[in-house]
């Protein structure tokens, strides 16, 4: 083998090799797949799934990629082995009906031996048991003999998208790392689970379609999906024991060593806890950085939950190594330094990644503190040596994010055990609930009526940037049940698909157009008229949803499609304003701000952005001022198409979390804003008219939302505020300019009056303590005697009752029972309290309150020394009756 290559060199050599074979080098797709059945991109072929299904036509016949992937199905064993990673890079080469088995096999051998310099005598191939063609090609195209070509069953060497759909045999390449990596089994060979024979290359020959009966029929276009794990190949090339010892990962492990003040030995023994923790921290740091860079934010569901779990898991293992301060930002910064040159999105979002990681880690540390308090209380309630219930351990894990192994450790230190079996049952139930909520991952989710239509006619041509009415042909009709029909009649709802359309389908946050689709004669009230109430995009089709208002409309019919231009104008004013808002936010708040979602309608706009705290009134005012200044500048607004690569070179901002095709549309607003956007916009900034922020709020961890209005809606908003201000001014008998000062003065006066009232009420509630003591009841028991004050203080709140008790206790009372009506709510409230001497002699505040609650149809209870309760308002006479009953009860010594 030639000199060891770095991870980056292997990546580049692979891409360059297949580029020289005629493949188009494509950038990695986002970790957020454009596929409703998948949570994250976990394989190199995921971005090409619609092509393999035949739903989408390939733009190139062959491609090569370095695809970033996140896979957490085996998260519990990450760190305990040298092979499993949550983040990894899959190097792939793909043929879409172009080259097939012969070229794929020959090129895999050529790259392995001639480019990487792997020893041919150490290479083995596997094929599917019945794939004689592949076995023969390995012998024809490479020096391998039949003895070095192993056959395996479907479980190992046959790939399928699901029970039905595209499928085909696989062929894999293995590298023999030598006897030093072998296990003790005498029959250790290719396919053994040990580390000697490493599968590093997988060729999927996608050549069949499997129907519901299991029958395989050849696909019209046979394709290739090649995958080579970058980290695994780096371990082979650098002759290291595991993925964590390769150049890139070892630098992350070294930083984790420094942060935790520990040493990494590389051991995989069961008790190598320090090494395991260092591997987990290093691995998870990559996933965290890449997920945030691709638009995933921490949350309690979906992708956000995966991110949160990975981040918290890394933090937890840091704490197990003695780190109490936040540290993960150092780890993600290192990831960006190591991988940002190839994955530019890391560099572009460095500040955002740092801010979210820091905020989320601090939030988790607070969670740990809360969990520790909960656990301490739960253990204190157990007898010494008792067992913590599985439900309590699960509550700690599920609600507080408290790791179960930390629960086990803390419990053991105190001499307690944990019902682990019950905990696992609760975990299994949660997993079942989670599985029930996951969408079907089969490829059939890509099919359906709309997919059939696009296969028959192709995608709809959008002509609506500058055209608002055009002639078109109805290609297909779908009724409200989702079935394809030939005609819709009057009052029937459904969808029309045209060959050309001026209607903008809802996407990118912009609401879909409304308008009409009419047949000949509609202008004189005779032709068919279809009212479009919404426009959507699916499978490349522009779908016009609505109702037939007059006549009937049929497939193949010529029609005129016209949008509601007044509504469109309002929408595009709002849309252009969101771009200026994005610019202003980054200028005022910081460049870490990125768009994380939006809605652009005809009456308002909503803009979600990444940030960690509430915007101040001064910041909001400055954002408004800057934006309205740009509107008044009458800046030209220009849109043009270019390639995604060229747009990045021009400094165009790509929106956070968005996925883009090779060709993109750029929107420029003067020299102010330059972003990728496919929406509709004004021609000059002055057309926006006026911009006003109506609300700013939090919509989740590290995410804020601004709502605003423009144009006529902004004028109406300002007018309404002005009318309300004038009404308040009239009420206050002040000018509009003096309203704030007048209200401030009134509030100060009100505050003083409330304080005086409260002070007077508290004073009155204390009553004459000497009088109260004179009326106190002395109760004698076998354990002693105590003096109880029984009273009904007036003009008090529930909080004042404790002050009354403090007063009488200081004056010499041993206990009190207070029953009255709250001066604020008029509800009946009661409190019982006692000193230690009274409780030792038999007084029990909780029992006293429970007896009063029973007599008043109320609720209450507490401990022997303090209890309180309440009920609906009582008549004064009834209140006095209960006081008399309590007094008699105490005098009797009960």
């Amino acid at each position: 083998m030639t000199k060891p290559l770095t991870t980056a060199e292997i990546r580049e050599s692979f891409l360059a090799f297949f580029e020289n074979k005629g493949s188009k080098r494509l950038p990695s797709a986002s970790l957020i797949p454009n596929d409703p059945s998948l949570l994250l991109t976990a394989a190199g072929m995921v971005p090409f799934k619609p092509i393999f299904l035949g739903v989408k036509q390939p733009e190139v016949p062959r491609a090569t990629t370095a695809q970033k992937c996140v896979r957490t199905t085996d998260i519990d064993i990450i760190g305990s082995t040298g092979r499993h990673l949550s983040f990894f890079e899959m190097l792939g080469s793909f043929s879409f009906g172009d080259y097939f088995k012969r070229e794929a096999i020959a090129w895999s051998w050529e790259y392995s031996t001639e480019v990487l310099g792997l020893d041919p005598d150490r290479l083995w191939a596997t094929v599917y048991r019945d794939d004689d063609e592949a076995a023969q090609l390995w012998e024809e195209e490479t020096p391998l003999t039949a003895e070095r070509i192993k056959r395996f069953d479907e479980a190992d060497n046959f790939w399928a998208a699901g029970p039905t759909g595209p499928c085909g045999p696989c062929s894999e390449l293995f590298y023999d790392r030598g006897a030093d990596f072998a296990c003790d089994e005498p029959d250790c060979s290719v396919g053994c689970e040990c580390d000697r024979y490493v599968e590093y290359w997988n060729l999927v020959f996608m050549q069949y379609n499997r129907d519901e009966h299991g029958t395989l029929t050849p696909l019209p276009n046979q394709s290739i999906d090649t995958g080579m794990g970058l980290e695994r190949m780096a371990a082979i090339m650098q002759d290291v024991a595991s993925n964590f010892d390769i150049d890139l990962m070892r630098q992350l492990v070294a930083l984790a060593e420094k942060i935790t003040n520990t040493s990494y030995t590389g051991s995989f023994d069961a008790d190598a806890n320090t090494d395991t923790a260092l591997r987990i921290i290093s691995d998870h740091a990559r996933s965290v950085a890449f997920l945030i860079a691709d638009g995933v934010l921490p949350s309690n569901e979906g992708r956000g939950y995966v991110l949160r779990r990975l981040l918290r898991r890394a933090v937890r293992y840091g704490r197990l190594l003695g780190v109490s301060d936040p540290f993960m930002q150092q780890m993600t910064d290192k990831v960006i330094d190591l991988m940002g040159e190839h994955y530019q999105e890391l560099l572009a979002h460095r500040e955002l990644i740092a801010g979210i990681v820091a905020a989320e880690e601090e939030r988790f540390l607070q969670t740990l503190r809360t969990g520790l308090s909960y656990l301490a209380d739960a253990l204190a309630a157990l007898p010494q040596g008792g067992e913590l219930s599985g439900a309590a351990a699960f509550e700690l894990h599920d609600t507080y994010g408290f790791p179960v192994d930390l629960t086990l450790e803390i419990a053991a230190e105190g001499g307690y055990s944990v019902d682990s079996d019950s905990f696992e049952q609760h975990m299994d139930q949660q997993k079942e609930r989670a599985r029930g909520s996951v969408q079907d991952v089969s490829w059939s989710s890509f099919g359906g009526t709309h997919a059939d239509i696009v296969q028959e006619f192709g995608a709809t041509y959008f002509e609506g940037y500058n055209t608002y009415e055009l002639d078109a042909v109805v290609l297909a009709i779908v009724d409200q049940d989702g079935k394809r029909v030939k005609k819709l009649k009057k009052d029937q709802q459904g969808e029309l698909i045209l060959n050309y359309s001026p209607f903008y389908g809802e996407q990118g946050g912009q609401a879909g157009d409304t308008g009409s689709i009419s047949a000949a004669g509609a202008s004189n009230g005779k032709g068919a008229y279809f009212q479009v109430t919404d426009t959507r995009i699916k499978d490349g089709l522009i779908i016009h949803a609505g109702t037939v208002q007059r006549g009937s409309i049929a497939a193949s019919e010529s029609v005129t499609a016209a949008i509601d231009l007044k509504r469109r104008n309002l929408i595009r004013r709002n849309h252009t304003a969101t771009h200026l808002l994005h610019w202003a936010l980054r200028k005022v708040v910081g460049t870490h701000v990125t768009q994380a979602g939006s809605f652009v309608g005809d009456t308002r706009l909503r803009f979600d952005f990444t940030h960690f705290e509430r915007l101040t009134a001064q910041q909001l005012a400055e954002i408004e001022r800057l934006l309205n200044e740009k509107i008044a500048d009458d800046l030209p607004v220009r849109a043009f198409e270019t390639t995604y690569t060229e747009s990045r070179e021009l400094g165009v901002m790509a929106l956070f979390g968005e996925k883009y095709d090779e060709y993109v549309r750029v929107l420029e607003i003067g020299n102010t804003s330059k972003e990728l956007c496919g929406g509709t916009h004004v021609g000059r900034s002055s057309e926006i008219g006026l911009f006003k922020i109506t609300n700013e709020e939090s919509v989740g961890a590290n995410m804020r939302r601004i709502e605003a209005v423009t144009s006529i809606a902004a004028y109406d908003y300002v007018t309404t505020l002005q009318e309300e201000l004038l009404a308040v001014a009239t009420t206050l008998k002040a000018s509009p300019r003096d309203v704030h000062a007048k209200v401030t003065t009134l509030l100060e006066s009100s505050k003083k009056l409330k304080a005086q009232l409260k002070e007077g009420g508290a004073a009155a509630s204390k009553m004459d303590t000497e009088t109260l003591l004179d009326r106190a009841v002395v109760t004698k028991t076998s354990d002693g005697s105590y003096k109880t004050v029984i009273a009904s203080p007036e003009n008090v709140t529930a909080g004042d009752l404790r002050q009354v008790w403090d007063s009488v206790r200081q004056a010499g009372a041993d206990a009190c029972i207070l029953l009255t009506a709250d001066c604020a709510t008029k509800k009946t409230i009661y409190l019982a309290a006692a000193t230690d001497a009274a409780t030792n002699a038999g007084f029990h505040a909780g029992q006293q309150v429970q007896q009063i609650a029973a007599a008043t149809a109320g609720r209450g209870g507490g401990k022997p020394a303090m209890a309180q309760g309440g009920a609906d308002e009582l008549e004064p006479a009834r209140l006095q009756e209960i006081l008399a009953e309590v007094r008699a009860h105490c005098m009797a010594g009960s």
Side-chain angles (χ1 to χ4, degrees):
M1 186 162 43
T2 58
K3 73 176 184 70
L5 296 178
T6 67
T7 307
E9 288 171 338
I10 297 170
R11 183 197 299 120
E12 176 56 31
S13 72
F14 182 94
L15 296 173
F17 176 84
F18 281 99
E19 209 170 21
N20 291 333
K21 298 297 184 184
S23 296
K24 173 74 172 178
R25 185 191 296 214
L26 299 177
S28 172
S30 170
L31 286 170
I32 305 175
N34 188 20
D35 180 343
S37 69
L38 298 176
L39 195 64
L40 293 166
T41 300
M45 50 68 60
V46 167
F48 306 109
K49 185 172 163 182
I51 296 175
F52 289 133
L53 275 170
V55 172
K56 180 180 178 181
Q57 292 301 311
E59 297 179 1
V60 293
R62 56 180 77 170
T64 184
T65 63
Q67 177 61 48
K68 51 194 176 185
C69 302
V70 168
R71 186 181 298 166
T72 58
T73 52
D74 50 10
I75 188 172
D76 292 332
I77 62 173
I78 290 173
S80 63
T81 78
R83 297 187 302 273
H84 293 87
L85 300 167
S86 65
F87 176 90
F88 59 94
E89 294 180 74
M90 184 58 69
L91 304 177
S93 64
F94 306 91
S95 167
F96 310 117
D98 188 16
Y99 67 82
F100 200 47
K101 289 185 183 181
R102 183 177 296 276
E103 294 87 346
I105 288 172
W107 292 343
S108 66
W109 186 268
E110 180 184 348
Y111 176 74
S112 297
T113 58
E114 297 183 21
V115 178
L116 295 182
L118 296 180
D119 183 354
D121 293 336
R122 291 193 170 201
L123 299 184
W124 296 68
T126 65
V127 297
Y128 179 55
R129 65 188 180 197
D130 298 331
D131 194 355
D132 297 330
E133 179 187 11
Q136 182 177 343
L137 287 171
W138 277 114
E139 292 191 62
E140 293 177 1
E141 297 294 331
T142 76
L144 289 178
T145 60
E147 291 76 20
R148 297 257 297 281
I149 303 169
K150 299 292 185 180
R151 294 179 183 253
F152 286 97
D153 290 337
E154 185 168 339
D156 295 304
N157 276 70
F158 195 91
W159 181 89
T164 62
C167 58
C170 301
S171 186
E172 298 171 326
L173 272 174
F174 285 75
Y175 180 77
D176 179 3
R177 305 201 69 186
D180 290 344
F181 292 87
C183 60
D184 297 329
E185 297 297 326
D187 58 347
C188 178
S189 182
V190 174
C192 182
E193 290 298 319
C194 72
D195 292 330
R196 175 170 181 172
Y197 297 94
V198 179
E199 179 262 307
Y200 70 90
W201 194 294
N202 186 19
L203 293 167
V204 176
F205 306 130
M206 211 171 299
Q207 62 187 95
Y208 299 115
N209 183 70
R210 177 183 282 161
D211 63 21
E212 59 272 16
H213 303 296
T215 304
L216 299 177
T217 56
L219 289 168
N221 294 312
Q222 297 177 327
S223 300
I224 291 289
D225 165 19
T226 291
M228 184 181 84
L230 175 58
E231 292 84 0
R232 191 169 292 187
M233 177 48 67
I236 293 173
M237 291 296 298
Q238 296 168 21
D239 194 27
V240 293
S242 81
N243 288 340
F244 293 94
D245 295 308
I246 66 175
D247 60 316
L248 190 155
M249 293 302 297
R250 192 62 187 86
Q251 293 181 71
L252 290 172
V253 172
L255 177 57
E257 286 180 279
K258 181 180 178 181
I259 291 171
T260 60
N261 195 28
T262 59
S263 296
Y264 181 69
T265 67
S267 172
F268 289 94
D269 293 339
D271 58 352
N273 297 326
T274 296
D275 281 9
T276 299
L278 292 171
R279 286 189 286 264
I280 289 170
I281 293 169
S282 305
D283 167 80
H284 290 11
R286 291 208 299 170
S287 291
V288 167
F290 275 91
L291 284 168
I292 296 173
D294 273 1
V296 180
L297 296 174
S299 70
N300 288 327
E301 59 185 12
R303 302 179 185 99
Y305 179 73
V306 173
L307 169 60
R308 175 165 284 169
R309 185 184 182 198
L310 287 164
L311 179 54
R312 292 187 169 189
R313 193 167 188 261
V315 172
R316 169 173 47 114
Y317 277 93
R319 284 182 65 87
L320 290 177
L321 295 183
V323 182
S324 57
D325 295 327
F327 68 90
M328 277 300 287
Q329 184 183 335
Q330 297 179 60
M331 295 298 302
T332 53
D333 275 346
K334 187 67 173 179
V335 172
I336 297 170
D337 292 340
L338 292 171
M339 305 186 71
E341 182 177 355
H342 184 78
Y343 294 103
Q344 292 287 311
E345 61 271 26
L346 291 173
L347 295 175
H349 298 298
R350 181 189 285 271
E351 189 176 353
L352 174 67
I353 294 168
I356 289 177
V357 168
E360 184 67 16
E361 185 168 6
E362 180 55 42
R363 185 176 291 108
F364 180 49
L365 292 176
Q366 178 59 44
T367 293
L368 284 176
R369 287 190 284 269
T370 305
L372 284 169
S373 176
Y374 176 97
L375 179 56
D377 289 344
L379 294 176
L382 297 174
Q384 186 58 41
E387 182 180 64
L388 185 70
S389 70
F394 180 76
E395 174 79 4
L396 274 164
H397 164 82
D398 192 51
T399 302
Y400 297 98
F402 203 76
V404 68
D405 50 0
L406 199 54
T407 300
L408 290 166
E409 180 182 333
I410 293 171
E413 289 174 355
Y416 301 94
S417 61
V418 179
D419 188 347
S420 298
D421 291 340
S422 175
F423 172 81
E424 291 300 331
Q425 290 175 4
H426 282 83
M427 286 293 294
D428 290 341
Q429 291 169 7
Q430 184 193 56
K431 291 175 182 178
E432 285 300 322
R433 291 192 296 271
R435 276 193 286 268
S437 65
V438 173
Q439 299 184 43
D440 181 10
V441 298
S442 73
W443 282 25
S444 60
S445 61
F446 270 83
T449 303
H450 298 102
D452 293 340
I453 294 172
V454 78
Q455 276 194 307
E456 182 177 350
F457 297 107
T460 308
Y461 290 96
F462 175 64
E463 301 286 350
Y465 285 123
N466 299 302
T467 301
Y468 313 121
E469 181 175 330
L470 55 75
D471 294 333
V473 175
V474 178
L475 298 179
I477 300 175
V478 178
D479 66 14
Q480 61 182 346
D481 296 323
K483 297 178 181 178
R484 191 168 170 181
V485 295
K486 295 181 179 180
K487 179 185 291 188
L488 286 179
K489 298 178 182 179
K490 186 176 183 301
D491 296 330
Q492 285 188 319
Q493 296 179 351
E495 302 170 348
L496 302 185
I497 289 89
L498 313 179
N499 55 346
Y500 296 90
S501 177
F503 285 79
Y504 185 87
E506 179 182 353
Q507 59 181 335
Q510 179 173 329
D513 279 329
T514 60
S516 65
I517 297 174
S518 55
S523 59
N524 58 20
K526 295 182 179 180
Y529 186 87
F530 181 84
Q531 185 71 44
V532 179
T533 56
D534 189 25
T535 309
R536 304 186 303 276
I537 298 286
K538 185 175 182 182
D539 296 332
L541 299 176
I542 297 178
I543 299 169
H544 311 84
T547 305
V548 178
Q549 301 290 339
R550 185 175 61 243
S552 63
I553 198 160
S556 302
E557 190 171 354
S558 296
V559 293
T560 298
I563 68 170
D564 182 340
L565 185 55
K566 182 178 180 180
R567 181 174 179 272
R568 164 74 78 82
N569 285 336
L570 293 173
I571 290 173
R572 59 186 178 185
R573 289 169 189 160
N574 283 335
H575 200 162
T576 306
T578 63
H579 288 263
L580 287 174
L581 175 57
H582 195 187
W583 164 80
L585 277 164
R586 289 172 63 84
K587 190 172 183 65
V588 174
V589 181
T591 55
H592 66 278
V593 168
T594 54
Q595 180 176 342
S598 68
F599 169 78
V600 181
D602 56 327
T603 61
R604 64 186 178 91
L605 67 90
R606 184 184 70 226
F607 190 86
D608 296 342
F609 58 98
T610 53
H611 189 51
F612 321 112
E613 59 187 358
R614 177 186 294 276
L615 299 190
T616 66
Q618 292 78 10
Q619 287 175 318
L620 292 172
E622 179 63 8
I623 289 166
E624 269 194 2
R625 188 192 67 79
L626 285 173
L627 206 145
N628 282 299
E629 186 178 89
K630 293 302 177 184
I631 291 172
D633 286 344
D634 192 32
L635 301 174
V637 180
R638 183 173 77 99
F640 63 91
E641 285 194 355
T642 185
T643 65
Y644 179 76
T645 302
E646 289 172 349
S647 75
R648 302 300 285 160
E649 293 173 354
L650 291 171
V652 178
M653 180 179 288
L655 297 188
F656 187 50
E658 283 289 323
K659 299 174 283 293
Y660 297 97
D661 294 328
E662 182 179 2
Y663 288 93
V664 293
R665 193 165 184 264
V666 177
L667 184 80
E668 284 184 340
I669 307 175
N671 295 320
T672 301
S673 172
K674 188 184 293 184
E675 294 182 313
L676 298 181
C677 184
T680 62
H681 293 276
V682 298
R684 303 191 72 85
S685 63
S686 59
E687 294 177 42
I688 298 171
L690 177 67
F691 175 88
K692 287 295 296 180
I693 294 173
T694 60
N695 187 46
E696 191 270 344
E697 63 181 355
S698 169
V699 287
N702 311 309
M703 190 182 299
R704 309 292 302 177
R705 170 174 293 169
I706 281 180
E707 293 178 295
V709 287
T710 69
S711 184
I712 300 301
Y715 170 80
D716 291 340
Y717 177 76
V718 171
T719 300
T720 300
L721 289 182
Q722 185 179 35
E723 290 173 350
E724 292 178 357
L725 176 61
L726 289 172
V728 172
T730 300
T731 302
L732 296 174
K733 297 180 180 179
S735 69
R737 291 182 179 275
D738 296 333
V739 164
H740 180 265
K742 190 70 175 284
V743 170
T744 300
T745 300
L746 289 173
L747 288 175
E748 285 296 327
S749 298
S750 175
K751 185 178 180 181
K752 290 179 181 178
L753 288 171
K754 286 182 178 178
Q756 292 171 0
L757 179 62
K758 183 175 182 180
E759 184 178 348
S765 70
K766 293 179 181 179
M767 305 174 66
D768 184 344
T769 53
E770 290 185 5
T771 302
L772 289 175
L773 285 176
D774 288 343
R775 298 176 183 173
V777 174
V778 176
T779 304
K780 295 182 179 180
T781 69
S782 58
D783 296 317
S785 64
Y786 52 89
K787 185 184 296 183
T788 305
V789 168
I790 303 168
S792 178
E794 298 179 352
N795 299 320
V796 297
T797 64
D800 293 332
L801 291 183
R802 289 179 181 251
Q803 294 182 12
V804 177
W805 161 235
D806 288 340
S807 297
V808 297
R809 179 178 56 187
Q810 292 172 11
D814 299 308
C816 76
I817 300 173
L818 306 174
L819 180 67
T820 187
D822 191 299
C823 65
T825 65
K826 304 304 180 186
K827 297 278 188 179
T828 300
I829 53 174
Y830 28 89
L831 175 139
T835 63
D836 290 344
T839 57
N840 291 336
F843 184 90
H844 196 295
Q847 293 176 1
Q848 295 287 354
V849 164
Q850 288 175 358
Q851 291 172 5
I852 297 173
T856 60
R859 298 174 62 186
K863 298 180 179 180
M866 178 72 71
Q868 58 190 16
D872 291 336
E873 183 179 7
L874 295 180
E875 292 293 333
R878 178 56 182 151
L879 189 148
Q880 294 303 319
E881 289 176 3
I882 294 174
L883 279 171
E885 292 172 4
V886 171
R887 180 178 293 275
H889 187 75
C890 290
M891 290 177 68
S894 302

